[in-house]
Structures are given as structure tokens and as C-alpha cells.
Amino acid sequence: MTSTAPIRWGILGPGDIAKAFAGGVAGSRTGTLAALGARNPGKEGLTQTFPGARILDGYQALLDDPDIDAVYIAIPHPGHAEWAIKAAEAGKHVLCEKPLALTAFEADAMIHAARKAGTFLGEAFMYRLHPQTLKLVELIKSGVIGEVRMIKSSFGFAMPGFMPEHRLYANDLAGGGILDVGGYPVSMVRLIAGAATGKPFGEPDKVAGAAHLGQSGVDEWASALMHFPGGIVAQVSCSISLNQENVLSILGTRGRIEVPDFWFAGGNRDVGLGKIDVIGSNGKREIISVNETRHLYSFEVDAAGEAILAGRQEFAWPGMGWADSLGTLRVLDRWRAAVGLEYEIEKPAKRINTIAGRPLRTDGSAIAKRKIPGLAKPASVVALGFEDFRTFSSGSILLDAFFEVGGNLFDTGYVYGAGYTETLLGQWLKNRDVREQSVIIAKGAHSPLCYPDVIGKQLAQSLDRLQTDHVDIYFMHRDNPDVPVGEFVDAMDAEAKAGRIRGPFGGSNWTMARMDEAIAYAERTGKQKPGALSNNFSLAEMLEPIWAGCITSSTDDWKAWLTKRQMPNFAWSSQGRGFFTDRAGRDKQDNEELVRVWYSEKNFGRRDRAIELANRLGKSPIHVALAYVLAQPFPSVPLIGPRTLDELEDSLKALDIKLSAEDVAWLDNGPERQRA
């Protein structure tokens, strides 16, 4: 393909929306329809419905075709993530029918694949590229209705009746209104809220939702309220079993705007002329007609084509770029969570493959493994924490990715997510059948329940959540100095003898004195000695605790103690919680936690040296900070907590950096002489 040749489009999956898109390609300036990938290529009527297109046997055949530049994904939304990722891996640009994915987590994985491949990925909300939308934004910005206060929007229709075989009612096809049509009003009100505040789109700070879930478990009618910073309130609704007014209303201090059926520009899947009603505070109505006669879908075809030809990877505004698509899906995620809508296909029993639709790979080696004293199996040099996930479908994406690159060490805690972190990991270990290859860190007895008799009780609950009979490493999550340390050692030793802890145990956020006392007690009494620690450790010293009861081991006396004892330390906040990113700086005082916990001239000197070394190595300062933790003269295992695949991949860049003892000393204290 050259910069002047038309984009050769392939459509993945036949159907009504695919037919509409084919009409858009025919009416476009930049594209031509080359092929259709169908699971039933012999289906009657395909050649007539998609004239001029080669009919290929299956979706993979479309991706394998060297004469296809870009793929339009027209299949039901449960297949969007898998085939968009596979298309990116095949070097194909992708325009994906809405919703881009089932969740923002899935969409992030799709964006990650496109970013790595250097390919275009766009969400096919065609209304965003129709001239009516830009005209609407211009009217809002002009102040014709004053300051926007409220937005109301709906997209609702009534099917003939409950049809369990229809995709709109099928739970396994993620049916219902929120995902099928709810994204239209949500994306529109976010656009209007942004236009009213001088931004490309707005992000609500509050979302509340309600819905009726029918007999198949999908939402048949639903509503949500959103509040945006600055006071704009939006009310959206959708339905598949209820006809609604379907008028976008924007209410301002000097009037209102009304747009009927904005997603079709007031028309149908072929043509939408575009009509906007402006009603002044005196009731006077002005009708603004765009009078656009081009094929409704041709605008998104050309917007995608222009982006591809220009080497851009996402739509230009007012098309939905990646951040916009993610923002809309996050609202839909919150809406679904509010009404308790989780599809069966998102649960462990049916989500047995990775997000790309493949079995989990078990031979990854990008993350090396090491021996930990007292632990029978090798553990990856970094451990994964994952507190932020609340569904199996979201958390499994990151767990899969970490494991596939060689990670097998997982950090959990009894209190994390009120127990859900352990539950999620247990579901994943069982679903993927990798318990024996994995190393589990468990923690219990957090304040205020920091007592010896709590350890066994909480560990029993943790094992039940984790669906296993033992953990590999155990930490008391806090210490209670009012309790003799020997009682804690006795309780953990009993669990080790019972086989419920099969590796080292110790303390998280324990002082040096208490660790020494615990070790001495165990040596006197013949009990298993505490053999691991989980304290904060970073290139930047924690000046005061992030949370009550936290302990840092980044000081010189701690480093000497850890080195002398060769005590493994599983370091939390190992990258300084953003101190080594551009969120921090001597002139940046807006982040209270960063300022309170990390800001000192000594730490800024270390940050300066990390920046200098990173520039020399072609890395980022945060990579150097993580490499520093890995390069200690004692077993040092950083706990990392990426929320996205991009963050995970970025963290792994630190593994390429091999620091010498001299490098570590220089980063710590600066040079006596200029470093070579």
C-alpha cells in the first residue's frame, strides 16, 4: 500500500452492520472493499450483498490475506478483543464495531496490541464522524444556549418479544442494551460535557445506574446518571424491550438543543441529513440542517482511511480516539457493576483462554527466575500485585500476560479487596491449571486483628479463596509490639509444620529489632526461623509512613542488616510510587503523598542520578529505580503493581539493566569522582 493507493478493506463477519459498512466503503474517497471473511462462506446471498468482494473461508483467512490492508470487525462484541488483537499481530489496521470491547480492560489490551504493532485501531461510532456532530459541538462552544447544565439522551427500541436465540437477548453474546446501544448516549454526553468545558470530552466523577435484568440475565432496559466536574448532570437510558423517545436534549442557561436519533443523524443506515433544533429561553425554535447526503458510514471509512494513510494509529477528534473509547467503556463498566451485570462468558468457567483467544503459554522467559532461601521452587525475580481488579475477566488479562513472560510469583493479602484478590487468583490458578508452577505470597493478621490466634483462622480462609492447600511464602501483614514475638513465631511455625506454609515466613512492616528477637527466639526453641521480610525498599527513602504502621528498609543500617543476614526482602513501593516519574519534581508540589513521603534533597539527588543514568542507557528513571532494587547484595524481590499491559511491559524494561556494585553505590550516595 502506498500513501495514494486506496485502503483495501476486508470485513470480518457478514451481517446487517457489515452490509451498511460495505455501503460506506462504496461511497468513500479512500477505500475499496476487497474481501469478506465468513465462517460460512457458502451462505446464500453473500456475493450479492457484498459485490466485488472475495468471499474467504473464515476470519483467519482474512487476516492471512496479503491483499488486505485494514479489517472492519463486524461480529458480536464478545469476539472484538480476540480478533482485533490477532489482526494487529497480523499487521492489519482495525476499525472495530462498537462497543470496542466488553470492558475497558479488554479495550486496553486491544490498544496495547495496536500500539506494539504500529497499526490503526478505531471504534466505529460512525455518528462521531458525521458533520452533524461537529456542528453540534460548534453550537455548544458558541454559547447559543448559555452554560450547559444538563444533558438527556436515550437509545431504546422494542424487540417483538423475548427471543432467547437472538444476540440481543443471548447472555453468551453479551446481549442487552447497555453494551449494544448504551454507548451511544454515554459517548455523546461525554463529548458534550467536554465541549462545554473546553475539552475533547468529559470524564464523569460520579456514575449511578439501574436496570431490569430479564430472564436471560441481560439488561432489557436501563438508565444511568452521571455527574461531571463543574456541575453538569447527564441522564442516559437504553433498552431492547422498550421504545424510547430517542432525542438528545442539551439544557443550558439560555435555552436548549434537541437532536432526534443523533446516531443516524436523523436518518437511517444509508443517509442522515442531520437536523439540530435550537430552542431559546423564549421558546423560539431555530432548525439547523446539515443537509448531508453522503452515505452515513462513508465518513468513518474516510476518517479511518485518512488516519491510516497519514500513519496515525487512532482517530482524529471528533472521532473517538483511544482515551475517549476507554473513558466511555469505563462508564459502561461502572453502569454494569451498579446493576450487577456480569455475563457468563466473563466468568472463569467459560473464560478459559487468554484475551487473544489462545491457551495460556507456559514457556515464557523474559522474566528470569531465582532461588529464594527456604523456597523449594524457583520464583520470578519480580512479584505481581493486582489489587485493582474486581472481575475475573479484567484480572485474568494481566495475570495471563505476567505468566506468559515468565512471571510466577504472586503477591496477595487477606485484606486486599476484602478478599477478592485472593479469590481472583484462586480462580485463575485453577482455571489455567498452573498452581504447581506458581509461587503464592499470602499475608494475614493485619491491624487491628494482629494477634497470634488470628493467623491460622485467616490463613484457612485465604486457602479456601485461593483453592489450594498451602501457600509458598507467608507474612504477618503488621506487627503488634504488645504481643511477645515468640507467640507469633509459634503460630507461624505451627502452620509450617501443618504444611499450610511450605516456604519461608516472616513479617511485613516489621522493625529490625523485632525480626532479630523473633529469629533469636526460634533458634532457642527449635522453631522455624522467620526467613523473609516484606518492607518498603526503594532508591528513594520513605521519609514517613505512607500508611500507619509501615516500615521502610531503605536506610543504610537496614541495608547492612539485610546484607549481613542475607534476608530476602519483598519490597513494596519499590519504585517510589511515582517519585521517579514526571509526576514528581522540585517545583511540583500538588501531590500531597509524594511531597510528604518522598521529598527531600537527598532523594532528589538520587532521582537526578537515576535520570542521568537512564538517559545514558536509553531507559526511563523508573527503570533504573527498579533495577536498583534488583541489584542489591541480598535477595531483593520487588513487588510491582501494573494496572495495564503497557505498564507491565514498561516495568519489564528494567530487567535489561544490569547494575554493578559501583553503580548502586553511585545512585545511592553520588560520586567521589565523575562516573565514567
Side-chain angles (χ1 to χ4, degrees):
M1 182 182 70
T2 69
S3 60
T4 57
I7 305 296
R8 298 169 297 181
W9 284 96
I11 298 178
L12 196 149
D16 290 343
I17 197 69
K19 179 181 177 181
F21 181 78
V25 175
S28 72
R29 300 185 305 271
T30 59
T32 183
L33 182 58
L36 169 78
R39 287 181 170 171
N40 182 12
K43 183 179 179 180
E44 185 177 353
L46 288 183
T47 55
Q48 291 77 24
T49 303
F50 301 95
R54 292 176 287 112
I55 309 300
L56 304 180
D57 186 1
Y59 303 158
Q60 189 61 48
L62 188 70
L63 304 187
D64 293 338
D65 193 320
D67 295 324
I68 297 297
D69 303 313
V71 173
Y72 172 69
I73 297 178
I75 59 176
H77 25 279
H80 288 181
E82 174 183 346
W83 289 101
I85 291 170
K86 287 178 176 176
E89 292 172 346
K92 308 297 186 187
H93 304 287
V94 172
L95 179 61
C96 186
E97 187 50 40
K98 56 77 206 164
L100 189 60
L102 297 186
T103 66
F105 296 99
E106 287 192 358
D108 178 79
M110 297 161 69
I111 292 167
H112 176 74
R115 184 181 286 114
K116 287 182 65 176
T119 51
F120 173 86
L121 173 65
E123 186 173 17
F125 273 111
M126 79 289 188
Y127 86 86
R128 290 292 288 266
L129 286 312
H130 191 283
Q132 174 184 268
T133 298
L134 188 57
K135 183 63 177 178
L136 180 61
V137 169
E138 291 171 351
L139 288 169
I140 296 298
K141 290 182 175 180
S142 74
V144 66
I145 60 169
E147 296 183 10
V148 174
R149 291 285 187 260
M150 184 174 287
I151 311 166
K152 299 180 180 181
S153 182
S154 63
F155 191 162
F157 54 88
M159 294 286 286
F162 179 66
M163 304 164 64
E165 74 285 354
H166 196 283
R167 70 170 184 86
L168 289 173
Y169 287 99
N171 197 294
D172 279 357
L173 293 178
I178 293 176
L179 285 190
D180 192 67
V181 291
Y184 283 98
V186 169
S187 62
M188 175 57 92
V189 301
R190 292 179 64 256
L191 178 69
I192 298 305
T197 54
K199 300 176 182 177
F201 48 81
E203 296 289 5
D205 51 14
K206 297 177 184 177
V207 177
H212 168 74
L213 304 184
Q215 54 187 300
S216 63
V218 307
D219 62 297
E220 296 187 2
W221 52 89
S223 292
L225 286 174
M226 290 178 275
H227 177 275
F228 292 85
I232 295 175
V233 173
Q235 173 187 322
V236 298
S237 59
C238 61
S239 53
I240 60 172
S241 300
L242 185 69
N243 285 317
Q244 298 196 45
E245 187 179 25
N246 295 342
V247 173
L248 168 68
S249 298
I250 307 165
L251 312 179
T253 54
R254 298 205 306 269
R256 71 183 190 275
I257 290 174
E258 294 182 349
V259 186
D261 298 335
F262 69 82
W263 53 89
F264 285 155
N268 53 38
R269 281 181 170 171
D270 293 323
V271 176
L273 296 177
K275 183 174 78 73
I276 302 170
D277 291 355
V278 180
I279 301 99
S281 55
N282 59 1
K284 183 179 179 181
R285 182 181 296 263
E286 178 186 3
I287 299 175
I288 299 174
S289 297
V290 179
N291 289 322
E292 182 55 66
T293 58
R294 284 182 60 190
H295 194 285
L296 191 69
Y297 284 76
S298 66
F299 301 102
E300 71 175 7
V301 175
D302 282 334
E306 289 162 5
I308 292 168
L309 293 170
R312 300 195 308 269
Q313 290 189 262
E314 53 187 310
F315 275 126
W317 184 89
M320 290 186 68
W322 292 347
D324 201 355
S325 289
L326 286 172
T328 291
L329 277 165
R330 289 189 186 108
V331 173
L332 300 184
D333 289 347
R334 293 166 72 179
W335 191 354
R336 283 213 286 144
V339 304
L341 177 55
E342 183 180 13
Y343 300 106
E344 292 301 314
I345 54 171
E346 297 178 288
K347 297 177 182 178
K350 293 192 175 181
R351 187 148 294 214
I352 58 175
N353 288 323
T354 68
I355 189 66
R358 293 184 283 258
L360 184 72
R361 297 194 308 271
T362 60
D363 57 352
S365 59
I367 302 178
K369 292 184 174 63
R370 68 183 302 172
K371 289 288 293 180
I372 301 288
L375 188 65
K377 66 183 80 170
S380 51
V381 296
V382 295
L384 180 69
F386 48 98
E387 291 182 60
D388 297 319
F389 301 98
R390 292 296 173 266
T391 64
F392 181 82
S393 64
S394 60
S396 62
I397 296 172
L398 188 68
L399 290 167
D400 286 344
F402 180 70
F403 193 87
E404 287 198 326
V405 292
N408 75 330
L409 181 58
F410 301 96
D411 178 60
T412 69
Y414 178 83
V415 299
Y416 291 162
Y420 186 71
T421 299
E422 291 180 329
T423 299
L424 172 58
L425 180 60
Q427 291 172 335
W428 180 82
L429 291 168
K430 182 178 180 181
N431 179 284
R432 302 300 195 250
D433 192 24
V434 292
R435 171 62 186 99
E436 293 307 310
Q437 297 163 263
S438 301
V439 178
I440 301 175
I441 302 170
K443 295 188 286 292
H446 195 293
S447 302
L449 298 177
C450 191
Y451 298 99
D453 63 337
V454 171
I455 292 172
K457 296 173 184 176
Q458 290 189 349
L459 180 56
Q461 289 181 267
S462 293
L463 294 175
D464 184 61
R465 294 167 179 169
L466 291 162
Q467 302 186 56
T468 185
D469 62 354
H470 72 281
V471 297
D472 302 284
I473 302 168
Y474 179 84
F475 293 113
M476 285 185 54
H477 213 157
R478 290 289 192 274
D479 188 14
N480 184 348
D482 294 333
V483 176
V485 75
E487 294 183 23
F488 287 131
V489 174
D490 288 345
M492 290 187 284
D493 177 73
E495 297 301 333
K497 286 184 168 57
R500 300 205 301 179
I501 301 173
R502 298 188 188 172
F505 60 69
S508 177
N509 297 297
W510 274 39
T511 65
M512 197 186 306
R514 285 283 276 187
M515 283 294 290
D516 281 335
E517 187 181 351
I519 292 169
Y521 171 84
E523 289 174 339
R524 288 197 311 272
T525 59
K527 304 293 175 65
Q528 179 174 322
K529 292 189 294 186
L533 187 71
S534 185
N535 284 359
N536 165 254
F537 187 89
S538 171
L539 176 57
E541 289 183 25
M542 189 172 71
L543 306 178
E544 62 176 82
I546 300 174
W547 306 287
C550 289
I551 301 292
T552 182
S553 293
S554 299
T555 61
D556 290 341
D557 56 344
W558 262 111
K559 293 171 189 172
W561 184 91
L562 289 164
T563 301
K564 181 179 179 181
R565 285 199 177 271
Q566 285 299 293
M567 178 68 66
N569 184 53
F570 294 77
W572 54 265
S573 293
S574 57
Q575 293 167 296
R577 296 178 66 82
F579 181 71
F580 293 95
T581 72
D582 57 9
R583 290 170 50 208
R586 290 177 175 85
D587 59 339
K588 295 181 179 179
Q589 303 288 319
D590 57 317
N591 188 303
E592 183 275 335
E593 180 186 282
L594 281 176
V595 173
R596 173 175 60 88
V597 177
W598 309 105
Y599 275 30
S600 71
E601 193 50 43
K602 184 176 184 180
N603 280 340
F604 274 118
R606 290 166 169 166
R607 185 176 183 271
D608 292 341
R609 291 187 288 276
I611 292 171
E612 178 185 335
L613 182 55
N615 288 337
R616 294 180 184 179
L617 297 175
K619 301 286 187 180
S620 296
I622 199 167
H623 302 146
V624 172
L626 188 59
Y628 169 87
V629 177
L630 288 164
Q632 294 303 307
F634 54 87
S636 180
V637 183
L639 311 179
I640 61 173
R643 293 172 175 82
T644 68
L645 298 184
D646 279 343
E647 290 180 358
L648 172 62
E649 190 166 275
D650 186 70
S651 293
L652 300 186
K653 293 177 182 177
L655 304 184
D656 299 332
I657 302 174
K658 306 301 179 187
L659 298 178
S660 66
E662 291 75 16
D663 293 329
V664 170
W666 177 77
L667 286 167
D668 247 337
N669 302 310
E672 292 295 328
R673 55 183 175 79
Q674 185 63 38
R675 187 171 176 273

